[in-house]
């Protein structure tokens, strides 16, 4: 299998569960702690497009920063700019394997990548 990647936040229980699921299935992914090493705007745009989801689905809309930045009516471009500038707003985890890219929420969404 090609290289696998997880955009991970170790403080997130879902992210930890996904990492464990990958490892339990023999996949040792490259772990990118996106709060320490944020993806670029272009990388975010590609992850979102490859996952086949709308930009808004990749945003943590319940985060206080979302309201503070007034992103409820933001365009996709404005949302991408906000995600690139404030990686804490990125919904997690994104998982990339040879079988594709998914925003692994719910956890079962990642099973098709195993």
């Amino acid at each position: 299998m090609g290289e696998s990647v997880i955009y991970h936040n170790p403080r997130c229980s879902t992210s930890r569960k996904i990492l464990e699921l990958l490892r339990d299935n023999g996949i040792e992914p490259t772990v990118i702690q996106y709060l320490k090493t944020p993806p670029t705007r272009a990388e975010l745009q590609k992850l979102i497009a490859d996952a086949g989801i709308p930009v808004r689905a990749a945003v943590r809309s319940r985060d206080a920063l979302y309201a503070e930045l007034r992103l409820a009516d933001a365009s996709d471009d404005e949302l991408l700019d906000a995600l690139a500038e404030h990686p804490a707003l990125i919904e997690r985890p994104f998982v990339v394997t040879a079988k594709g890219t998914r925003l692994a929420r719910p956890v079962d969404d990642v099973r098709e990548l195993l």
Side-chain angles (χ1 to χ4, degrees):
M1 179 183 281
E3 182 177 350
S4 299
V5 177
I6 182 171
Y7 289 83
H8 180 62
N9 180 345
R11 296 183 64 201
C12 171
S13 63
T14 301
S15 195
R16 290 191 310 267
K17 285 177 191 172
I18 296 296
L19 181 57
E20 182 179 357
L21 177 66
L22 292 170
R23 288 177 171 160
D24 287 350
N25 282 274
I27 298 170
E28 184 55 49
T30 298
V31 177
I32 298 174
Q33 290 190 33
Y34 67 89
L35 293 175
K36 292 181 180 179
T37 309
T40 65
R41 186 186 192 282
E43 289 168 333
L44 285 165
Q45 194 166 17
K46 181 172 177 12
L47 280 171
I48 292 165
D50 289 353
I53 60 173
V55 174
R56 190 161 296 280
V59 180
R60 295 180 54 77
S61 59
R62 292 187 308 250
D63 193 291
L65 186 56
Y66 178 87
E68 185 180 316
L69 295 173
R70 298 186 176 130
L71 296 175
D73 295 321
S75 68
D76 285 356
D77 281 336
E78 291 167 331
L79 289 172
L80 284 166
D81 289 342
L83 291 173
E85 187 173 340
H86 305 282
L89 287 172
I90 300 170
E91 190 61 89
R92 66 217 177 223
F94 272 95
V95 175
V96 181
T97 73
K99 294 184 178 180
T101 301
R102 293 290 177 275
L103 174 57
R105 280 187 174 266
V107 172
D108 286 340
D109 283 0
V110 81
R111 292 189 191 281
E112 62 193 57
L113 300 180
L114 303 177

